[in-house]
Amino acid sequence: MGLMSGKRGLVTGIANDHSFAYSIAQSLLREGAQCCFTHLPGEKMERRCRGAVEKLGVANPWIVSMDAGSDADLDNVFARLGAECGSIDFLVHSIAFADKDWLKEGKFTSTPRNVYTQAMDISAYTYAAMANRAAALMPNGGSMVALSYYGAEKAVPGYNVMGVAKAALEATNRYLALELGQRNIRVNTISGGPLKTLSAMAVGGFGDILDWVEKKAPLRRNIAGSDVGDASLFLLSDLARGVTGQVLYVDNGYSIVGL
Ligand SMILES: NC(=O)c1ccc[n+]([C@@H]2O[C@H](COP(=O)([O-])OP(=O)(O)OC[C@H]3O[C@@H](n4cnc5c(N)ncnc54)[C@H](O)[C@@H]3O)[C@@H](O)[C@H]2O)c1
């Protein structure tokens, strides 16, 4: 019996086998969970996501296309999930987006309105939009996890508008936890250390962030995807039954260092 035996849920955000969502699914599957997946629309996105899910060893995977910026796509995914799988026990929100032209040092002040609102929409609002639809499929309670970063609370050069969106995501996490707790649904966020993924490479100076964290983090290393995978597993399992509304740092301790 694994920690997640008998539990089923949705994992969003697998772009390839470097994605945080990939490592999270790997931990969940190892402990017996049944995972459904979404990918961004488009043949290339589907091929990459399917390739990663195949690598995870999932036979006949449930994979549906979803642009989280579209209410129609969100409605379709959760309606199909309900119709084809019944109730669910967990949700993984591992998506974010901001136009990379504005993720460069010195480019925050001039962020255009549409770039700002899109970053907030895809990277923060969608946690509420998905949580609302997922909660309707959790009659027996459940658990949700999203991914944030230290740039939510400190000004990290180049992280810019994404930091603003992550601050909104962390606040969204708390308000969701407050309301959904009455339905025995727990809502948490992991603040992960830097990891070389497709999205991360869009952040200007990302290589310097990796070098700096490796030198300064108490554990003197950068995280692996599996560190976030196993921490997500904890939050999504019954082991974390008393934990909700939290931001859990999985960053080798970097966030506690003053200098
Ligand atoms: N990599 C890091 O250093 C780091 C650190 C902390 C937090 N995070 C967060 O982890 C999460 C996952 O990112 P990752 O680093 O694994 O990168 P990734 O590029 O592998 O994953 C990002 C995912 O977001 C999806 N996405 C983007 N726009 C979308 C939309 N409109 N609708 C649906 N999906 C959309 C992409 O398809 C992709 O699968 C993000 O929230 C990211 O901000 C990343």
Side-chain angles (χ1 to χ4, degrees):
M1 278 280 283
L3 271 177
M4 299 299 284
S5 291
K7 292 192 192 291
R8 179 170 44 218
L10 182 67
V11 177
T12 65
I14 296 186
N16 56 34
D17 60 359
H18 297 291
S19 300
F20 270 129
Y22 177 89
S23 297
I24 295 169
Q26 194 165 43
S27 294
L28 292 169
L29 291 164
R30 189 188 70 222
E31 294 298 326
Q34 222 181 303
C35 295
C36 299
F37 305 93
T38 63
H39 62 80
L40 261 181
E43 190 272 325
K44 192 168 95 181
M45 299 300 173
E46 177 171 4
R47 187 164 25 87
R48 282 185 181 168
C49 179
R50 275 192 190 278
V53 170
E54 263 168 34
K55 196 171 161 188
L56 286 168
V58 183
N60 303 318
W62 191 100
I63 306 184
V64 172
S65 161
M66 180 190 76
D67 176 355
S70 155
D71 282 340
D73 275 19
L74 289 168
D75 286 343
N76 175 53
V77 164
F78 285 92
R80 282 189 59 180
L81 201 55
E84 294 167 32
C85 303
S87 62
I88 61 170
D89 305 284
F90 62 86
L91 169 71
V92 175
H93 178 289
S94 188
I95 69 169
F97 182 81
D99 183 336
K100 68 177 171 33
D101 289 350
W102 304 91
L103 299 181
K104 294 182 177 129
E105 198 167 348
K107 293 277 277 184
F108 176 71
T109 307
S110 53
T111 309
R113 185 188 297 263
N114 65 321
V115 171
Y116 190 101
T117 52
Q118 186 185 31
M120 292 291 268
D121 180 18
I122 303 300
S123 314
Y125 170 70
T126 57
Y127 197 20
M130 282 189 212
N132 187 31
R133 290 163 173 85
L137 301 179
M138 294 178 168
N140 307 314
S143 181
M144 306 180 181
V145 163
L147 271 298
S148 188
Y149 174 61
Y150 189 56
E153 60 188 278
K154 300 289 179 197
V156 176
Y159 202 60
N160 299 5
V161 68
M162 188 57 90
V164 177
K166 289 301 190 192
L169 177 75
E170 292 185 9
T172 300
N173 179 66
R174 287 184 282 274
Y175 282 95
L176 287 173
L178 184 64
E179 286 192 2
L180 294 176
Q182 290 149 44
R183 293 154 69 177
N184 194 29
I185 296 169
R186 298 182 294 100
V187 185
N188 291 289
T189 290
I190 285 179
S191 184
L195 180 74
K196 201 169 166 186
T197 62
L198 273 182
S199 301
M201 297 313 286
V203 178
F206 185 73
D208 297 337
I209 295 178
L210 282 175
D211 291 345
W212 182 258
V213 168
E214 190 175 8
K215 274 197 217 98
K216 299 291 175 184
L219 294 178
R220 295 289 189 273
R221 58 175 186 255
N222 276 301
I223 62 152
S226 58
D227 298 333
V228 164
D230 283 349
S232 302
L233 165 69
F234 161 69
L235 289 172
L236 294 173
S237 79
D238 293 340
L239 289 181
R241 60 194 169 275
V243 182
T244 195
Q246 301 302 310
V247 177
L248 175 64
Y249 292 85
V250 181
D251 64 351
N252 290 329
Y254 179 74
S255 54
I256 60 114
V257 176
L259 206 61

